[in-house]
Amino acid sequence: MYNVHQDVTLIPVTFNGPGFVLAHDSLPALSVSASNDKNKLVHVSLVNIDPVKNTSISIILSGNRF
């Protein structure tokens, strides 16, 4: 699933999102990864890890990497 993020350049990601509680731990509800491959394609992976709630998102790409 994340093989597009192997052997590429990591793009730092900043996001604000909801969290959820699992047992006694508070976790972010979303897992986010972004990278540039050798052809300068940008790959963004988003996973909702909250087993109960759906999450709506919007993405803003900025900077000179794109």
Side-chain angles (χ1 to χ4, degrees):
M1 181 160 93
Y2 291 105
N3 62 348
V4 295
H5 297 296
Q6 296 176 3
D7 299 321
V8 295
T9 303
L10 172 72
I11 298 173
V13 175
T14 301
F15 76 99
N16 295 314
F20 76 102
V21 176
L22 178 64
H24 299 289
D25 296 321
S26 179
L27 302 168
L30 296 174
S31 171
V32 183
S33 299
S35 62
N36 268 347
D37 68 15
K38 65 182 179 184
N39 297 316
K40 301 296 182 190
L41 291 173
V42 174
H43 301 274
V44 178
S45 298
L46 297 159
V47 178
N48 180 3
I49 63 171
D50 187 328
V52 178
K53 294 181 184 174
N54 292 330
T55 300
S56 296
I57 63 159
S58 63
I59 298 174
I60 299 171
L61 300 176
S62 63
N64 59 0
R65 298 177 190 265
F66 315 107

